[in-house]
Amino acid sequence: MFRAMDTREISKSFAPNQSFFIPESRLRASDQFKSSLKTLVVQQLKKGNTSASVLRSIQFLHHTGDFSLSPQEAYPLAETLFKADSPVTRKVAFGMAKNAPIYDAPYWLNAARHSETHLKDLIEIYRQKIHHAHHYNGAQQEFSDYMFIAHPAVVNFGWELAERYLRAREVSEIWGKLVRNRKANAWQLLQLNVQAPSAMQWFVASHSNQMEHLYTYSPEKIAFIIKKGAPPVRHLLLGQITQSFECNPLMFLYLVSNLAHEQRTQLLHKCLPQFAQQTLSIDEGFLAHTIQRLGENTWGLKTLLTVVAHAQVTQAETNQVVGLMLEETHSAQVLVQRLATLLNTKNKALFVKALSKNPDKLLAYHQYIPQQVWVGLLRQMPIAYLTGFKQAFAQAISTLGDEVLNITAPLFEDTLIDWLKHHQAKGQAPLDDPRLLYKICIHPLPKVRQWGHTQAMRQGLKADFALKLLESDLPETVAFAKTYFDGITVEDSHFVDNLLALCDSPMAATRSYGLALLQKIEISSTKEALLLAYLAEHADAKIQTYVAQKLLQTSPSINQAPFVKKFDQAVLRRKNRHKVAREHVKKRWSQQTEVDIQTLVELAKTGTQGDAEWAIIQLTRLSVQGKEVDGFVLD
């Protein structure tokens, strides 16, 4: 008699990777054996076991005509049957699937995704069923099931149905579910949907007339859709983001920072001109959340600074931004390193002042402070905090330019001397530039100023440089400059030019000093005439008095020079001004026989009472001497 195989023996044979062989003699097994074998096979299929042993058992049962499954048995095994690399299981599953009701279509399509041929056929079968149905009123949930099946053909079929049966609001709800999906394959499903040909039109249609999705979809998912989506989808979202970013840059900064680098850079470049015209409203709580959310996103942090640097903001709002960024290490580094770029914006002073108000936090990042910022920070920083920066500044100063001369705090006096000596030792001393040497010579700090005087003396003072120092109005520097002018002699080829430069200075003290020198020096009549000719053109009262006095004392030959007539006319015509100079001219005219009669007539008619009386007396004297005076008759 044929002995049936023990079921325990059969069960052992289903172990994975274990070969399974049924002798030909067993093909005539009893119904009890085949029934037991089928039961065990179904149990293994429920566990997802599709090993070679299980497939051979299925082949055996199929050969004997005993492998048949009821709909109740096949339904939970659908995916395993399609997944198994067996024509038998797939044939059984396909037979069940094609006869399934329409509302079960997503379930069977999800199972059939493991077999491309069967999947393609099933989609067409379901399409025809739905097409020929007299009335199909599938729920939104039913359609969304297709979009959550990880196969492009099924997803596209789902959107094909949605286009026919759903409204825009229901489509938006499906997209919302896809974006909020947190399952392991959420990103894969989202990509399949945004790339589905039938989904593209529906996405644009359901999202083009509102922007709520920019607030409700996560920025990461929106950036992913733009990256993976078709061009119309990408164009729509980028346009909406651009418009929103222009209106509220801080609200949408995190979203923009998640875009591809080229896209976000172009977007920022496009929106930047709008920021300059916008008054930025900064909420401290939201700003803190944004900075925390950006985290290590350097581009986002830099853009935050760029927005604030170009927009219309107050000092208080800038202080908020700077203070919050200094709270986190990475954002603080970005802030300090970015300062050099910010100096080219309209709000640069706001940033420097805001940083100067946070010296204790800034000190931790002093190594990142750009060269261009050091001086501005130290000049605005409270004096109480400068001591903490003394060592850091001493380390950085050798790399700085002549802007360090703008620092006037006594604490840094020795540091500035070290900077001067450092550049001098390297042959880069600012002594080669008169502009910088002058700045050093008039520096508010005594040691720096004295260092400049020493170097200027070592180089040899020139008249124009000494004149500038003389005009600085600093007692120590003025005294130093006077040593040059006190040493000039009449024999000097530039003697006249030097004296004229002093007397022509815009500083009254310098002009007085020049006149004092003139009065102490004996000069030849030729040089004196030259000096007087130049000085006669000056409007200063003291200089005009000096010229008038000298002309009163000089020889008649000088008084015949052309400049004297113009000088006299100018002095006499000034009413109530330069009285001393005018009296000197009047005294000289009283002693001369040749005077300008026309000027006397003019004074007699329009001058002050004293000038008019004097002019009349002079005209009378000239008439008595036989001079003809037009417009004047002596009765």
Side-chain angles (χ1 to χ4, degrees):
M1 286 290 293
F2 175 74
R3 184 178 65 83
M5 182 182 291
D6 191 290
T7 55
R8 288 175 297 177
E9 183 179 349
I10 295 173
S11 179
K12 291 179 181 178
S13 69
F14 289 147
N17 302 322
Q18 182 173 332
S19 62
F20 178 76
F21 175 71
I22 302 177
E24 183 68 25
S25 59
R26 298 292 176 88
L27 293 176
R28 299 183 296 277
S30 65
D31 291 341
Q32 182 182 359
F33 168 76
K34 288 185 283 187
S35 176
S36 299
L37 180 59
K38 178 185 174 183
T39 302
L40 289 171
V41 166
V42 171
Q43 290 175 354
Q44 293 300 313
L45 289 175
K46 287 181 179 179
K47 297 177 181 179
N49 185 0
T50 57
S51 63
S53 301
V54 173
L55 296 181
R56 287 179 64 86
S57 296
I58 293 173
Q59 185 68 28
F60 165 71
L61 292 172
H62 175 70
H63 184 74
T64 61
D66 293 293
F67 188 70
S68 61
L69 298 174
S70 66
Q72 292 77 15
E73 290 177 315
Y75 191 86
L77 300 177
E79 185 166 1
T80 304
L81 293 174
F82 275 113
K83 192 175 182 179
D85 188 16
S86 168
V88 176
T89 59
R90 291 180 173 178
K91 181 179 180 181
V92 171
F94 181 75
M96 294 287 183
K98 70 180 182 179
N99 294 315
I102 293 300
Y103 56 79
D104 279 342
Y107 175 80
W108 285 104
L109 290 176
N110 181 55
R113 75 184 190 277
H114 301 290
S115 174
E116 292 292 333
T117 302
H118 293 96
L119 178 67
K120 182 179 179 181
D121 292 342
L122 280 178
I123 289 176
E124 186 58 34
I125 290 171
Y126 293 144
R127 181 183 287 114
Q128 293 300 321
K129 280 188 176 184
I130 296 174
H131 179 70
H132 289 97
H134 293 292
H135 180 70
Y136 182 69
N137 189 23
Q140 181 250 99
Q141 175 62 42
E142 180 181 325
F143 287 105
S144 67
D145 289 342
Y146 292 99
M147 290 71 163
F148 283 82
I149 297 174
H151 194 283
V154 179
V155 169
N156 194 62
F157 177 59
W159 286 110
E160 180 186 323
L161 297 177
E163 182 179 359
R164 182 181 301 179
Y165 296 105
L166 296 185
R167 291 168 294 182
R169 178 183 57 81
E170 295 170 318
V171 170
S172 297
E173 292 177 2
I174 293 176
W175 281 111
K177 290 181 180 179
L178 286 166
V179 171
R180 292 189 294 271
N181 180 22
R182 295 180 178 272
K183 294 182 179 179
N185 66 342
W187 294 97
Q188 179 192 8
L189 289 173
L190 185 59
Q191 179 175 346
L192 289 173
N193 278 271
V194 298
Q195 292 179 341
S198 297
M200 179 178 64
Q201 179 180 349
W202 259 116
F203 183 95
V204 174
S206 60
H207 291 75
S208 59
N209 294 325
Q210 48 88 22
M211 293 189 184
E212 183 181 351
H213 49 279
L214 297 184
Y215 297 89
T216 57
Y217 293 1
S218 74
E220 293 83 0
K221 292 289 179 68
I222 294 176
F224 183 80
I225 292 173
I226 292 174
K227 180 180 180 181
K228 300 294 184 180
V233 173
R234 185 163 57 249
H235 178 75
L236 170 68
L237 289 178
L238 285 176
Q240 292 177 332
I241 293 172
T242 300
Q243 183 179 349
S244 301
F245 190 53
E246 283 181 346
C247 298
N248 197 336
L250 295 187
M251 173 70 74
F252 293 94
L253 174 59
Y254 182 71
L255 168 57
V256 173
S257 66
N258 277 275
L259 300 178
H261 182 71
E262 182 178 358
Q263 291 172 342
R264 65 192 185 188
T265 302
Q266 291 177 351
L267 193 150
L268 176 62
H269 181 72
K270 183 177 181 179
C271 296
L272 202 55
Q274 300 299 322
F275 298 154
Q277 306 171 13
Q278 187 177 108
T279 300
L280 201 62
S281 178
I282 299 178
D283 178 78
E284 187 172 3
F286 181 77
L287 179 63
H289 172 71
T290 301
I291 293 175
Q292 185 179 16
R293 201 175 185 191
L294 287 171
E296 299 290 320
N297 191 321
T298 302
W299 188 92
L301 293 170
K302 287 182 177 179
T303 302
L304 169 61
L305 293 172
T306 301
V307 170
V308 177
H310 287 81
Q312 297 180 28
V313 294
T314 64
Q315 182 65 64
E317 290 170 331
T318 309
N319 292 347
Q320 286 183 0
V321 175
V322 170
L324 288 171
M325 291 191 72
L326 287 173
E327 294 290 339
E328 301 293 335
T329 302
H330 183 68
S331 59
Q333 291 178 2
V334 172
L335 167 64
V336 178
Q337 291 173 330
R338 191 70 175 169
L339 286 175
T341 304
L342 298 178
L343 291 181
N344 297 321
T345 66
K346 67 176 184 179
N347 293 335
K348 60 182 180 181
L350 300 182
F351 279 96
V352 174
K353 189 171 183 178
L355 278 167
S356 67
K357 291 180 177 295
N358 293 272
D360 49 343
K361 295 178 182 178
L362 180 62
L363 186 58
Y365 305 99
H366 69 84
Q367 66 273 27
Y368 301 110
I369 298 177
Q371 297 178 7
Q372 307 94 312
V373 183
W374 266 109
V375 174
L377 284 174
L378 294 179
R379 293 187 68 187
Q380 298 193 48
M381 195 172 293
I383 297 177
Y385 290 95
L386 290 178
T387 304
F389 280 84
K390 183 176 181 180
Q391 182 177 356
F393 181 58
Q395 295 172 354
I397 196 171
S398 61
T399 63
L400 304 184
D402 58 83
E403 68 273 8
V404 299
L405 296 175
N406 293 322
I407 294 178
T408 59
L411 178 69
F412 299 111
E413 189 170 37
D414 291 335
T415 306
L416 291 178
I417 295 296
D418 291 339
W419 178 84
L420 290 168
K421 292 179 178 178
H422 170 78
H423 284 271
Q424 185 181 36
K426 293 179 65 176
Q428 301 173 348
L431 310 178
D432 298 332
D433 186 347
R435 178 184 61 85
L436 292 182
L437 184 56
Y438 170 74
K439 196 171 184 178
I440 297 170
C441 288
I442 64 168
H443 199 276
L445 297 178
K447 287 186 179 180
V448 177
R449 194 163 59 239
Q450 291 166 8
W451 192 91
H453 295 170
T454 302
Q455 301 306 318
M457 184 64 73
R458 193 173 291 173
Q459 279 191 353
L461 277 175
K462 300 292 189 297
D464 55 345
F465 190 79
L467 176 61
K468 288 182 65 177
L469 295 181
L470 197 62
E471 293 172 343
S472 67
D473 209 25
L474 290 171
E476 183 181 350
T477 303
V478 169
F480 170 70
K482 284 182 177 180
T483 59
Y484 168 79
F485 289 105
D486 288 342
I488 61 175
T489 61
V490 177
E491 290 76 20
D492 193 309
S493 59
H494 298 290
F495 171 75
V496 173
D497 292 336
N498 291 342
L499 288 179
L500 286 174
L502 290 172
C503 294
D504 200 38
S505 171
M507 304 296 292
T510 303
R511 293 197 299 272
S512 297
Y513 171 69
L515 287 176
L517 281 182
L518 279 174
Q519 292 168 352
K520 289 193 302 182
I521 298 174
E522 293 292 336
I523 55 177
S524 65
S525 58
T526 304
K527 287 186 176 181
E528 184 178 44
L530 184 61
L531 269 172
L532 291 176
Y534 283 118
L535 293 176
E537 298 178 358
H538 207 290
D540 180 74
K542 291 184 178 180
I543 292 179
Q544 288 209 342
T545 299
Y546 172 81
V547 173
Q549 185 178 15
K550 280 292 183 182
L551 290 174
L552 185 61
Q553 299 170 355
T554 55
S555 61
S557 60
I558 295 180
N559 288 326
Q560 300 303 316
F563 79 88
V564 177
K565 182 178 180 180
K566 291 175 60 178
F567 173 77
D568 291 346
Q569 289 176 340
V571 171
L572 291 174
R573 284 171 178 169
R574 289 192 179 98
K575 296 180 180 180
N576 302 318
R577 293 175 59 193
H578 305 174
K579 183 176 180 181
V580 176
R582 194 163 59 253
E583 292 302 320
H584 285 318
V585 172
K586 288 160 66 176
K587 184 177 181 181
R588 177 163 47 81
W589 276 32
S590 298
Q591 299 172 358
Q592 294 178 181
T593 57
E594 294 295 331
V595 294
D596 184 4
I597 296 176
Q598 188 61 40
T599 301
L600 287 174
V601 172
E602 182 180 333
L603 281 176
K605 293 179 178 180
T606 62
T608 62
Q609 182 177 355
D611 288 342
E613 292 176 354
W614 174 80
I616 292 172
I617 292 173
Q618 297 305 313
L619 290 171
T620 301
R621 177 174 63 84
L622 293 174
S623 296
V624 170
Q625 293 175 357
K627 299 279 187 181
E628 290 188 8
V629 181
D630 293 337
F632 181 81
V633 178
L634 183 62
D635 294 332

